[in-house]
Amino acid sequence: MCAIVDANVAYEVFGSDRPPAGRRFFDWLSSPRGQLVIGGQLREELARDRRFFQWLRSALRNGRARSVIDEAVDDHATGLLRRGVCKSNDPHVLALALVSGARLLYTNDAALIEDFGNPEIVARPRGKIYTTARNANVTDAHRRLLAARGLCRVPQG
């Protein structure tokens, strides 16, 4: 299954003082079950963090991360902006989901959560949110999301 980590929670996944739910997500990404997708503006945002960048280099080599062509993500983000469907200021994150097929997003951004759940933007399958906005401990909802299958559709050309 593949997932996206928003820049606003990267420290929870890749930082040194991770909350329990962030540690669980990191462990999942580091296992054969998880895979991070990265590309476009989000790649630039996340790469500013040295710890993330070191993890990414290793993860790309061992299949725990997959890189998406930046231009494809940027083009989709521009299309979302033209359509005017986004409430968040993160069309690049939504575009990454559309291009990569990832349907699991770790974020605490309320507007992005609303956009990712909007079937006019992310559909077939619908997007799912992993968040620690209300609870940084590992919940049953977190466990179910990390155990789910089918949250990475085959991207369309």
Side-chain angles (χ1 to χ4, degrees), residues 38-44 66-82 91-101 153 155-157:
I38 190 77
Q41 182 181 335
L42 185 61
R43 177 198 320 270
E44 295 170 19
R66 178 169 47 98
S67 183
V68 177
I69 297 169
D70 293 341
E71 292 78 15
V73 176
D74 296 342
D75 288 348
H76 273 75
T78 299
L80 288 169
L81 286 171
R82 282 191 195 125
H92 58 286
V93 174
L94 300 164
L96 180 58
L98 297 174
V99 172
S100 69
R153 73 162 175 77
Q156 297 174 353

Side-chain angles (χ1 to χ4, degrees), residues 4 25 94 103-118 126-133 141-142 145 151:
I4 298 168
F25 196 88
L94 300 164
R103 291 300 185 265
L104 180 61
L105 171 65
Y106 187 170
T107 187
N108 288 335
D109 180 327
L112 181 55
I113 288 169
E114 188 174 340
D115 284 346
F116 204 75
N118 181 345
R126 299 271 305 268
K128 304 291 182 189
I129 302 295
Y130 188 99
T131 186
T132 54
H142 291 132
L145 284 170
L151 291 177

Side-chain angles (χ1 to χ4, degrees), residues 22-41:
R23 279 195 304 274
R24 176 67 65 100
F25 196 88
F26 180 82
D27 291 344
W28 174 82
L29 279 179
S30 300
S31 78
R33 295 208 36 158
Q35 182 182 61
L36 182 72
V37 294
I38 190 77
Q41 182 181 335

Side-chain angles (χ1 to χ4, degrees), residues 1 5 40 48 58 61 74 122 129 133-134 146 150 152:
M1 184 168 69
V5 173
R48 293 178 193 137
S58 172
R61 282 193 304 273
D74 296 342
V122 180
I129 302 295
R134 292 193 179 131
L146 297 181
C152 189

Side-chain angles (χ1 to χ4, degrees), residues 10 14-15 26 36 38 42-61 65:
F14 303 103
F26 180 82
L36 182 72
I38 190 77
L42 185 61
R43 177 198 320 270
E44 295 170 19
E45 292 173 356
L46 292 173
R48 293 178 193 137
D49 182 317
R50 179 185 49 79
R51 289 172 295 215
F52 168 77
F53 190 71
Q54 290 171 338
W55 178 87
L56 180 63
R57 286 194 324 217
S58 172
L60 287 167
R61 282 193 304 273

